[in-house]
Amino acid sequence: MQILLAACDATHLNPVSAALHERNALAALWTSTKNEAGLPASKYRRAWVFHLAIKPFYHLSPRFPERIFHGLLPLWTNWVKRQKPPAFEAVQALMGYGAEVFDHAERIGALKVIDASNSHPTSYYGFWQRECDLWNPGTRPGVPRKIFARGNRDLERADLISCPSVFVRDSMIYNGIPEEKCVLNPYGVNTRTFIPRDRLPEKPRFICVGLIGLRKGQQYLFRAFQRVRERLPEAELICAGGYHADFSRERPRWEGTFTHYPHLPHRELAALLRSCTAFVLPTNEEGFARAIIEAMASGLPVITTYQSGATTLVRDGVEGRVINGRNVPELAAAMIQVAEDRALNERMGQAAHARGAGDNSWGDYADRLLEIYARARHRALRSGAAADRSLKAAGAN
């Protein structure tokens, strides 16, 4: 089977495309970002018109507002419309980027798949707006409503929805998507870069990886860490990621209370993870934070929420702690527990590595993907054959 991958910002499709190419299953990757997967020219197409338009904003700030990125979306959509696709049997597009590439798929009867990197648009928007209303009144989610609307339409047109987590799948079903359209396939991890730590640090050292913003829940993390420091004065909190604009009211209060790395290459991040006690991310909405799986592969217990997608791989009390979202006392208690009970920390870290990295490389993800698509194509062919038989029987009568 040949799969066409498409998204304006490739994100996790880079390692997916590399794994599919190794299996001779990649038709092409269409994106506006650079060829990080090292694909041959025949397998990679870049929307240069979009890249050149967005480039000045990258030079001004690597964390420019998402609204600028999404405001240039017509450049991407028009580029996709003009492309002549290679031969393919399935297309996988990120949610919000499916419409134009689905048009290509429908002309040849290819399988249409949405890669749901977030929860259903209704949940995605609602959870984020709630946090804006509570912590920065008057602000709105950084993603424009038109992108959520595109996502809704993509989900309706799709033959399959690839859900990276139980939370995403549940949100789809809750919002009226047929359960049979939703397939579960958690993201993989680079098991060569993210390897387990060799020892537990003497002083408690917590790490959170991801954009610092209201949707990610750092407003609860920083308040919880205040409580942790009352019990464990030597504890350190590390945050790796830039600030989101919606955190503008919270930022002045917390700057200087944690160690901050705005930007880290993957190898440096991997080394930093191995030096920590536990990974913590009290996010309010997520598809499945890749940083969680990277932390698990690094042998760290994970403290997070159901809304992070982590319950797909993390069991409360086994690979870490799954806490209720927006609950500062519970979050602080979980952080203190995994820091004070070193034997528990070691057991959780080993279990996290076994479940996060074992049979869960990007190659494993690609193998699961190909199996899912093969079954879907087989069902479609059987359904088509049954329909043909029904038509012939009706004609004979």
Side-chain angles (χ1 to χ4, degrees), residues 40-114:
S42 62
K43 299 291 184 180
Y44 165 78
R45 292 190 197 174
R46 188 174 191 179
W48 281 101
V49 61
F50 184 94
H51 168 71
L52 293 174
I54 205 76
K55 189 175 181 180
F57 297 100
Y58 277 116
H59 287 296
L60 288 171
S61 170
R63 288 295 182 189
F64 60 86
E66 295 108 319
R67 292 183 180 276
I68 295 174
F69 182 92
H70 294 300
L72 296 174
L73 185 64
L75 297 176
W76 163 261
T77 59
N78 290 330
W79 177 84
V80 173
K81 289 175 182 177
R82 295 195 306 270
Q83 299 306 298
K84 183 179 179 181
F88 69 97
E89 296 158 280
V91 61
Q92 178 172 325
L94 292 191
M95 190 163 61
Y97 296 95
E100 294 73 27
V101 75
F102 278 5
D103 290 341
H104 289 301
E106 286 174 353
R107 283 193 283 269
I108 62 172
L111 191 68
K112 305 186 299 294
V113 183
I114 281 299

Side-chain angles (χ1 to χ4, degrees), residues 23 56-57 70 135 164 166 225 227 269 284-285 292 333 348 375 385:
R23 288 154 178 77
F57 297 100
H70 294 300
W135 299 98
V166 171
F225 188 61
R227 299 186 178 211
L269 173 61
N284 296 295
E285 190 284 330
I292 290 175
M348 285 182 169
R375 288 200 303 265

Side-chain angles (χ1 to χ4, degrees), residues 206-210 216 218 221 237-241 278-282:
F206 301 95
I207 184 167
C208 177
V209 180
K216 297 282 188 177
Q218 281 90 349
L221 172 60
L237 175 62
I238 300 168
C239 289
F279 177 91
V280 56
L281 180 64

Side-chain angles (χ1 to χ4, degrees), residues 2 4 25 58 65 86 97 104 112 128 154 160 166 184 197 223 263 284 305 325 351-352:
Q2 292 295 299
L4 173 63
Y58 277 116
Y97 296 95
H104 289 301
K112 305 186 299 294
W128 195 348
D154 286 349
L160 284 181
V166 171
L184 185 64
R197 64 187 181 187
R223 286 168 171 81
H263 314 291
N284 296 295
T305 61

Side-chain angles (χ1 to χ4, degrees), residues 11 25 38 83 96 116 188 283 326 340 375:
T11 60
Q83 299 306 298
T283 189
R326 307 171 62 231
E340 289 188 330
R375 288 200 303 265

